[in-house]
Each structure stands twice: as structure tokens, then as C-alpha cells.
Amino acid sequence: MSGDTRDRLLAGAIATLRDKGIAGASARSIAATAGVNQALVFYHFGSVEELIITACQSATRARVALYSDQFAEVTSLRELLTVGRSLHEAERAAGNTQVLAQVLAAAQQSATLAEAARVALNLWINEIEQTLQRILADSPIKAALDIPGLARALAAAFIGLELYEAADPESSEHALDALAQVAVLTEVLDDLGPVARRALRNRLRRTQATRAGH
């Protein structure tokens, strides 16, 4: 029964964040959604903040696991963005991206929530980074890319689009199209002949050396 109550509180926290936002995520509202006494929030988690942290991280872990097979099947940056777009639409429709966005918003005033959001985001980032390392292993542009940084940029972009869409859905769609154009450019570079690839690598190395000099 204790485990069932704990799971109901976790589900209640996610549903409350999704429907009412971080401002509406009180012990009373979460307990009401879970159908339990609000004192059980503190019995099982000690505080509302700790409940939100646990709920966000456990929910994110479950969502990442759900998509891990799709990431594993990706063979190109274009396919990765297609998976990302599909994932974004599914998570947005389910309200799951909004949950993480709410925690990120609250993280501006709470170091504890900021750390929780970082851990949750890193679950997605690690999956993206592993995929990028694999699909760009033989690409001439890999030497010029900060793969960990790119993984973080992509994760941040998809989280940010959740907030952007509420204000300007059309521009949000344009942003996704721009990412797809980058993927096409990468494929063009990968199709270069050996001489052109060497020239590109040399140019990228010179660019990196110049950047390092500054």
C-alpha cells in the first residue's frame, strides 16, 4: 500500500505540474490529484520540492527509456532530427515537455530544483550525445564539432520550442525546418570526394587553431 501511495503521489505531481504549472503544485493540489491525504506528501517525500524532484527525474527516465530503441536505429543527423521532431510532438501532446519546462522555470529561484532539472536534462542529453558520436564518426565535420555542446544545444532547442510554440507556433515550425536544413548540409559535406574532404578538414583545423589562439 505504501508503494502504491508513493506511485500515486509521483503521478499526481506530474499531472499537477502539467495542468496547473509549478505555481499550482502545492501539497494540497498534488494530494487531491493523487486521491490521498496531503500529509502523505511529507511522510513519503519530506517536502513538496523533493516530491517534484523525484517525480520529474523518474518520469524523464521512463520517457528516455521509451525512445532509446528509436535513437539506436538512427543512422544520420537527418534521421535524428526526424526522431526528435516526432518525439517533440508526442511529448508536447502528452504534456510531458511542459512538466520539465515548469521545473526549469522554478529552477531560477531554487538551486535544488536547478540541480534536479540538470540531472533530468542530462538523461536526454546523454542519449543524444551517444547518437551524435555514432552517426558522425566518419563525417569530415566531426573534428570541428563540439559534440557534447551540440547535444546540449539540441536538447535546449527542443525544450525551448515548447515555450516558443505557445506564443508563435508558425515561427517554431520554421525553427525546426532550419534544423532540418543543417542536416541536409551535413549530408552534402559527407558526399564530398577525398580531395575535397581533405581540404575541408584542413580548413576546419586552421579555423580551430585560430579560435584557440584567441
Side-chain angles (χ1 to χ4, degrees):
M1 187 60 124
S2 177
D4 177 64
T5 300
R6 184 181 173 87
D7 289 343
R8 287 168 67 179
L9 284 168
L10 291 171
I14 293 298
T16 303
L17 285 169
R18 185 187 301 128
D19 298 337
K20 300 181 180 179
I22 194 72
S26 65
R28 183 190 297 269
S29 62
I30 292 172
T33 302
V36 301
N37 188 295
Q38 72 180 74
L40 292 172
V41 170
F42 305 98
Y43 175 78
H44 285 282
F45 297 95
S47 68
V48 173
E49 186 174 72
E50 187 59 34
L51 169 55
I52 289 173
I53 289 169
T54 305
C56 177
Q57 293 182 356
S58 61
T60 303
R61 194 172 292 110
R63 303 309 292 177
V64 172
L66 184 64
Y67 292 102
S68 61
D69 287 346
Q70 293 186 48
F71 280 112
E73 294 173 358
V74 166
T75 61
S76 68
L77 186 56
R78 189 202 294 249
E79 289 181 14
L80 175 59
L81 292 175
T82 297
V83 169
R85 198 166 193 157
S86 174
L87 184 156
H88 172 68
E89 291 172 357
E91 294 296 284
R92 178 189 60 191
N96 294 320
T97 312
Q98 180 65 16
V99 171
L100 186 52
Q102 287 294 318
V103 175
L104 284 168
Q108 305 304 310
Q109 283 78 42
S110 169
T112 306
L113 285 175
E115 174 63 14
R118 185 189 68 79
V119 172
L121 275 173
N122 277 341
L123 294 171
W124 286 114
I125 290 168
N126 291 340
E127 195 76 35
I128 296 169
E129 183 178 342
Q130 290 175 23
T131 304
L132 286 171
Q133 293 284 7
R134 176 171 53 79
I135 65 178
L136 295 176
D138 298 322
S139 174
I141 67 170
K142 183 183 179 183
L145 290 177
D146 175 4
I147 299 293
L150 179 58
R152 283 159 176 76
L154 288 173
F158 278 95
I159 292 294
L161 284 172
E162 169 69 20
L163 304 176
Y164 193 19
E165 280 176 334
D168 191 348
E170 186 175 346
S171 292
S172 175
E173 191 67 21
H174 288 168
L176 289 170
D177 290 340
L179 287 174
Q181 290 171 354
V182 173
V184 173
L185 178 60
T186 302
E187 292 174 1
V188 171
L189 294 175
D190 286 344
D191 288 338
L192 293 174
V195 174
R197 287 168 72 100
R198 279 197 301 272
L200 176 61
R201 288 195 185 96
N202 290 335
R203 180 62 180 269
L204 292 174
R205 289 193 189 100
R206 288 198 298 271
T207 302
Q208 286 181 311
T210 301
R211 191 184 309 152
H214 291 296

